[in-house]
Amino acid sequence: MNTFKSVFGMCVAVPAAISLLAVSAGAAPLMNQLGFAPDAEKTVVFPGNDANGLEVRDLSGKTVLKLKAPDVYEWDYSGEEVQTFDISAVKKPGTYRLFRGGEYVGTPMVVAKNVYDDLVKASLKWFYYQRSSMALEPQYAGKWARAAGHKDDKVIVYGTDKATGGKGKGTAIKSQRGWYDAGDYGKYIVNSGITVFTLLEIYEHFPKYADSLHWNIPREFPKYPELLEEVRYNLDWMLTMQDKDGGVYHKVSTLKFSGSVLPENDVAQRYAIIKNVTATLDFAAVMAQASVVYAGIDKAYADKMLKAAEKAYAWAKKNPEAFYKQPYDVQTGSYAPGDENGKDEFRWAAAELFRATKKKEYQEDLKANAFTANGAWWGDVNMLAAFRVALDSADFEKELVDAAKKVVMNEANNLRAVGDTSAYRLPAFPWSWNWGSNSAMANNGMVLVHAYLLTGDKSYLDGAQQCLDYLLGKNPHDITYVTGFGYRSPRNPHHRPSESDMVDDPVPGMLVGGPHLGKQDINLDGKESWKCPNYAASDKPALAYIDNRCSYATNEVAINWNAPLAYLAAALEAIYNK
């Protein structure tokens, strides 16, 4: 709800249930703390109901823009009264200051080319810091260097050893390389799937920009662009997870989460846990996509991945009801939504395999499995299939292309309508405020970028900018949600390496999960002292966040959260700096 009142007139339709925050007239502005490209939309939010207008001055004191006070809106997600100024008319590169009532407020605002370049590189380099099975050396990792952990050269297949219900010592596989999934040390196929897709989308959509990026990682394949080198480190691990029959194990992890220790000190036995249809199809989709992307630089590797993808899809067709069920003695992440039916995974895999092979059977499967309106997250990959068909329309029959474009554009139009009328100018649905809400905002931005790529309509790019603005400071906490960036950023992420490395600064470039009202980590009953204090007392989702290591619900990091952040920032960089 976004009811408003004029700062000079009477209230209009303000519901009694809204509890407004008391904010002084001199409140600091909330804005993207990294700045804006010259031609980007630029909005600034002021909490409160100040009758003063806004002046934007350059560093010489010259006024370059003068605006009257806008209407006051109320944002349900925070309970605030706010005013939003559109200062997009400021296009000349430079550093600017904001004034209200003749007083300087807030922090400087930057307008420049390549303003997100360092953010893109840091958000991508973070995947190097998440590498399993190798030491991070000082020349690449700096003060975050660490010893190797989780060599994973003897991972036990779950259920084959006595500890997990088997009769023998256990069947072992090698499952080396790959990225740690989040704040823990597990490696998960389902979450790797959407993550790798998103990173490869950067390369598919913006290859020239992606080729220009360098961020100091060890080079094993010097002819690869660095982005594809990093992604290969995880693809190599994913390939180890495929059994001889084509099925793919769900994850590699210990039976229980470790404590806050460095990787080298987490020495409990690790398991490859349960082949299933969703992991197998996510694997098939990503391997098919990667086979297309890598074909021009490493045909042998591309062929290997495509063969693995087709074998996985065949296994899934034979085992369509083999859904993952978390064993009673396994307490690491399940990555298994309760309403799983596999249709979205079949849809995505079929789309990617048809593009890679042009084999009719995959398109026929896709035609028999209609797109839904669902947005993208690890538990529903329908939108990934729609992205593929809509943007690679030459490969698919017209009826599929039309259906895919309709799904993407309907979602984008709904997001744009919300963003254009929201007090914070944020394209967010009520269901965006969930575990990993910041990734939902980034994924919403991805939808809007795809709509822009389909239409060339800049209003969709403006919506994507709104999503990034929120993540980089235009939010009620007045912080960037990315470690190491902006004037204020998280210092205490829920991330085992950061918790145990004795380095005050967290690794830069990590997107934390963000606010929501799940309260999974709050000490509600007082019986578990290690849980967080009640940081969500207001019951407003946009306020329910705490920068504390205890908060795995709001301050953890994850590969599938960083990937859409990298895509969103890279897209804006590439498009505005052609």
Side-chain angles (χ1 to χ4, degrees):
M1 183 177 296
N2 294 296
T3 53
F4 70 92
K5 52 185 175 181
S6 166
V7 295
F8 303 111
M10 63 182 294
C11 294
V12 179
V14 179
I18 288 183
S19 173
L20 300 178
L21 297 179
V23 182
S24 68
L30 307 173
M31 61 181 174
N32 188 318
Q33 294 177 16
L34 271 63
F36 304 90
D39 293 327
E41 181 189 66
K42 308 171 188 73
T43 55
V44 179
V45 170
F46 281 84
N49 52 11
D50 194 333
N52 286 299
L54 179 71
E55 282 186 73
V56 182
R57 303 179 190 175
D58 63 21
L59 291 185
S60 69
K62 179 183 177 181
T63 297
V64 299
L65 182 66
K66 201 168 185 177
L67 298 171
K68 294 181 179 180
D71 291 320
V72 178
Y73 282 76
E74 295 161 351
W75 202 39
D76 277 359
Y77 299 126
S78 65
E80 295 169 284
E81 283 188 324
V82 301
Q83 297 167 284
T84 299
F85 290 88
D86 188 330
I87 57 173
S88 301
V90 180
K91 295 181 181 294
K92 184 179 179 180
T95 301
Y96 299 90
R97 302 196 299 166
L98 307 181
F99 289 78
R100 293 193 83 178
E103 295 185 0
Y104 170 51
V105 288
T107 49
M109 181 192 75
V110 173
V111 176
K113 291 186 175 182
N114 306 118
V115 72
Y116 306 130
D117 208 46
D118 287 342
L119 171 65
V120 173
K121 288 185 281 190
S123 63
L124 291 172
K125 183 168 182 177
W126 179 65
F127 289 90
Y128 163 73
Y129 290 107
Q130 290 295 100
R131 287 189 184 187
S132 171
S133 310
M134 69 176 290
L136 304 188
E137 299 175 359
Q139 63 264 43
Y140 305 111
K143 61 187 175 183
W144 299 284
R146 57 171 171 80
H150 306 104
K151 190 175 181 181
D152 287 341
D153 59 345
K154 191 178 180 181
V155 173
I156 302 298
V157 176
Y158 179 89
T160 65
D161 67 335
K162 292 180 180 179
T164 59
K167 295 181 179 180
K169 294 182 179 180
T171 301
I173 65 170
K174 292 183 178 181
S175 194
Q176 296 164 306
R177 301 168 76 96
W179 300 316
Y180 297 130
D181 175 71
D184 64 284
Y185 294 132
K187 300 186 291 191
Y188 303 80
I189 287 290
V190 168
N191 214 32
S192 280
I194 192 171
T195 301
V196 170
F197 167 87
T198 304
L199 296 178
L200 291 179
E201 284 276 271
I202 296 174
Y203 196 82
E204 295 213 58
H205 294 163
F206 315 109
K208 184 178 178 180
Y209 178 68
D211 283 341
S212 75
L213 295 172
H214 304 283
W215 56 84
N216 187 31
I217 58 174
R219 300 310 306 273
E220 187 178 358
F221 304 97
K223 293 184 179 180
Y224 283 22
E226 285 181 44
L227 175 57
L228 298 189
E229 170 126 18
E230 188 58 59
V231 171
R232 175 166 178 163
Y233 194 83
N234 199 65
L235 288 168
D236 284 349
W237 165 70
M238 294 179 76
L239 286 166
T240 72
M241 295 289 279
Q242 185 172 40
D243 198 8
K244 293 178 181 179
D245 63 0
V248 178
Y249 296 106
H250 198 69
K251 60 183 175 180
V252 167
S253 75
T254 50
L255 298 182
K256 297 180 180 180
F257 286 121
S258 73
S260 295
V261 298
L262 286 167
E264 64 187 287
N265 296 323
D266 180 26
V267 295
Q269 179 62 56
R270 284 159 72 85
Y271 291 86
I273 303 177
I274 304 180
K275 291 181 290 186
N276 64 89
V277 66
T278 51
T280 301
L281 287 167
D282 284 350
F283 172 97
V286 163
M287 290 298 162
Q289 178 194 18
S291 75
V292 174
V293 175
Y294 285 77
I297 60 170
D298 192 336
K299 186 177 184 302
Y301 190 58
D303 289 346
K304 179 181 179 179
M305 290 189 288
L306 185 55
K307 182 179 179 180
E310 292 207 84
K311 191 174 182 180
Y313 192 85
W315 185 93
K317 291 274 284 188
K318 293 177 181 177
N319 299 276
E321 301 297 323
F323 299 114
Y324 181 77
K325 294 182 180 179
Q326 182 90 310
Y328 76 94
D329 56 347
V330 177
Q331 297 177 18
T332 53
S334 67
Y335 283 107
D339 58 350
E340 185 61 75
N341 60 25
K343 289 184 178 181
D344 54 303
E345 287 86 2
F346 270 111
R347 194 174 303 131
W348 179 32
E352 296 290 359
L353 277 162
F354 179 72
R355 181 178 70 143
T357 67
K358 308 301 186 293
K359 291 181 180 179
K360 183 179 179 181
E361 63 189 88
Y362 298 121
Q363 182 159 246
E364 292 303 311
D365 284 353
L366 187 58
K367 288 164 63 177
N369 186 10
F371 294 107
T372 68
N374 297 345
W377 62 294
W378 65 259
D380 193 323
V381 292
N382 166 77
M383 189 62 72
L384 309 190
F387 286 162
R388 175 63 61 233
V389 177
L391 268 77
D392 290 279
S393 56
D395 294 328
F396 297 92
E397 292 184 8
K398 185 177 184 301
E399 65 181 272
L400 284 173
V401 175
D402 290 346
K405 287 183 177 179
K406 182 178 180 180
V407 167
V408 175
M409 294 308 302
N410 282 350
E411 183 82 346
N413 287 331
N414 289 336
L415 285 167
R416 190 179 66 173
V418 172
D420 289 348
T421 57
S422 162
Y424 263 82
R425 301 284 178 89
L426 177 64
F429 300 126
W431 51 90
S432 298
W433 302 98
N434 211 321
W435 191 306
S437 64
N438 284 341
S439 73
M441 308 311 169
N443 279 318
N444 289 345
M446 272 194 72
V447 172
L448 290 158
V449 170
H450 281 71
Y452 169 79
L453 295 176
L454 284 169
T455 65
D457 185 338
K458 186 178 178 292
S459 69
Y460 297 111
L461 203 60
D462 292 342
Q465 181 73 54
Q466 292 163 359
C467 294
L468 189 63
D469 290 349
Y470 169 83
L471 297 176
L472 296 181
K474 197 182 71 176
N475 56 65
H477 293 281
D478 191 19
I479 64 171
T480 77
Y481 283 116
V482 184
T483 57
F485 282 84
Y487 299 110
R488 292 161 296 280
S489 61
R491 300 286 299 168
N492 302 287
H494 182 84
H495 180 235
R496 281 162 178 76
S498 297
E499 293 169 23
S500 54
D501 63 6
M502 303 301 291
V503 179
D504 285 346
D505 297 323
V507 173
M510 297 190 288
L511 178 67
V512 299
H516 66 101
L517 289 172
K519 305 182 182 181
Q520 294 89 347
D521 51 24
I522 290 178
N523 185 10
L524 296 176
D525 58 14
K527 294 179 181 179
E528 297 181 80
S529 60
W530 58 269
K531 287 196 174 183
C532 280
N534 189 356
Y535 56 81
S538 67
D539 279 343
K540 295 293 183 181
L543 301 180
Y545 167 80
I546 186 170
D547 181 20
N548 191 308
R549 292 173 178 175
C550 68
S551 187
Y552 53 85
T554 73
N555 215 37
E556 191 171 8
V557 296
I559 57 173
N560 67 307
W561 301 346
N562 250 61
L565 168 69
Y567 178 93
L568 182 56
L572 292 170
E573 275 291 306
I575 292 167
Y576 279 124
N577 296 292
K578 291 180 180 178

